[in-house]
Amino acid sequence: MADVQYWDDILTSEIDEIHQLMDEIPSMTDHDDKASAIGQAESKLKSASKTKKTLKMETRLVTETQTRKTYESRLTRLGEDLSHLKADLSALKQDFQRESLMDGGGDGDEFSPTTEDGQKAGDNMLGDANRLQDKTQESLDYTKQMVAESKDTGLSSLEELKRQRETLNRIDVETDRIDSALDVAEKLVKNFGKRMASDRFIQCFAVLNVLLLVGVILYAILSGKSLGGSSGEGAPENPIAPEQPPPPATRYLRSSPFPVAALLD
């Protein structure tokens, strides 16, 4: 903001100086002084125009909206002042040129205006007008060139924005595909976890059975019994085995402690 105020003060000062100088020109009687003053006014107007351009650029850089609008309105007013000054200076130049054509001094013939001098002055005026037209045409051509360059820049920016938009769309599609893949991967991980849990349960159950079997075998070895029990004691009777005849009865004599079979032998 300080830069904007600086250039605003400079432009205001230059406009005031041009006003003061142009107010003094009509009252000047000396031909050379008037020509010099007009030249100085033209030079100051050119400098003020450059200052105006700089002020316009600095005004665009102001971020605060209200402050920028204030400087823009002031810039517009200063620009109108410059336009009026240019018109007034152009009128003063024309008056000065007419005075130069009609000016004659002294009684001698050498100072009296001639037809040749008037024609020369007219040619000079036409030359100035042609130069002014050339400058105007150059300004128009430059303006057209700037407009064309701005148009090309706008088209390039539009193409770049279009390309970036397509890139963003592709990124969105790729992001959706990645999200779908992550969902599928998450489901697979959950299923794998469930299978792992069931497999671990089966493994634990198998290990438990093996431990129980080993425990039974060790118990049988340490207790001296087979897995099916001992060979004689505690064996259950076979229900389908044929019945064995009872052993023969042993008979004793009344008077002998030995059995009868022993005596017979």
Side-chain angles (χ1 to χ4, degrees), residues 196-264:
M196 287 292 295
S198 61
D199 293 343
R200 287 179 181 177
F201 177 76
I202 294 173
Q203 292 174 1
C204 291
F205 187 74
V207 170
L208 182 62
N209 290 335
V210 171
L211 291 176
L212 288 174
L213 180 60
V214 172
V216 171
I217 295 172
L218 291 176
Y219 176 76
I221 293 174
L222 293 176
S223 61
K225 296 179 179 180
S226 63
L227 294 177
S230 61
S231 59
E233 297 180 358
E237 295 181 359
N238 189 358
I240 63 174
E243 295 183 357
Q244 298 292 333
T250 304
R251 287 184 274 181
Y252 295 90
L253 294 177
R254 293 181 178 180
S255 59
S256 175
F258 299 101
V260 176
L263 290 177
L264 293 177

Side-chain angles (χ1 to χ4, degrees), residues 61-79:
L61 298 177
V62 177
T63 57
E64 297 180 2
T65 305
Q66 189 63 32
T67 306
R68 185 173 64 254
K69 289 182 179 180
T70 301
Y71 279 109
E72 285 177 352
S73 60
R74 181 169 175 79
L75 179 62
T76 302
R77 185 177 62 81
L78 293 174

Side-chain angles (χ1 to χ4, degrees), residues 3-189:
D3 293 337
V4 178
Q5 187 62 43
Y6 170 76
W7 291 108
D8 183 87
D9 294 339
I10 290 179
L11 182 57
T12 303
S13 177
E14 289 178 347
I15 290 176
D16 292 338
E17 291 178 0
I18 296 171
H19 271 296
Q20 183 179 359
L21 183 60
M22 290 181 63
D23 290 339
E24 296 176 354
I25 290 175
S27 60
M28 293 181 179
T29 57
D30 188 74
H31 183 274
D32 295 335
D33 292 342
K34 185 177 289 188
S36 177
I38 292 175
Q40 291 179 6
E42 287 180 342
S43 178
K44 289 183 180 294
L45 274 174
K46 291 180 181 179
S47 177
S49 298
K50 293 180 181 179
T51 305
K52 178 189 171 185
K53 292 180 181 179
T54 304
L55 177 60
K56 186 176 182 180
M57 293 176 60
E58 293 293 337
T59 302
R60 292 177 179 176
L61 298 177
V62 177
T63 57
E64 297 180 2
T65 305
Q66 189 63 32
T67 306
R68 185 173 64 254
K69 289 182 179 180
T70 301
Y71 279 109
E72 285 177 352
S73 60
R74 181 169 175 79
L75 179 62
T76 302
R77 185 177 62 81
L78 293 174
E80 292 176 354
D81 290 343
L82 282 176
S83 299
H84 293 315
L85 288 173
K86 289 179 180 179
D88 294 341
L89 181 60
S90 179
L92 287 174
K93 286 180 66 176
Q94 291 178 2
D95 292 340
F96 176 71
Q97 289 174 355
R98 282 196 297 269
E99 290 177 1
S100 297
L101 290 175
M102 301 301 297
D103 188 19
D107 295 331
D109 295 336
E110 57 180 347
F111 296 103
S112 61
T114 61
T115 304
E116 185 178 357
D117 293 336
Q119 186 177 0
K120 184 177 179 181
D123 292 339
N124 292 332
M125 290 180 64
L126 290 175
D128 293 338
N130 290 331
R131 283 192 294 272
L132 182 60
Q133 289 179 355
D134 293 338
K135 290 182 180 179
T136 304
Q137 186 64 36
E138 290 177 358
S139 300
L140 289 175
D141 294 339
Y142 179 74
T143 303
K144 290 180 180 179
Q145 182 180 358
M146 291 293 294
V147 171
E149 292 177 356
S150 300
K151 185 177 180 180
D152 294 338
T153 303
L155 292 175
S156 301
S157 301
L158 184 62
E159 291 294 333
E160 183 67 20
L161 290 174
K162 184 178 180 181
R163 187 184 64 79
Q164 291 179 1
R165 182 178 180 182
E166 293 176 354
T167 303
L168 291 175
N169 291 333
R170 288 197 298 270
I171 291 173
D172 291 337
V173 173
E174 188 68 18
T175 302
D176 295 337
R177 188 183 66 80
I178 293 173
D179 290 339
S180 300
L182 289 176
D183 293 337
V184 173
E186 185 177 1
K187 291 179 181 179
L188 292 175
V189 169

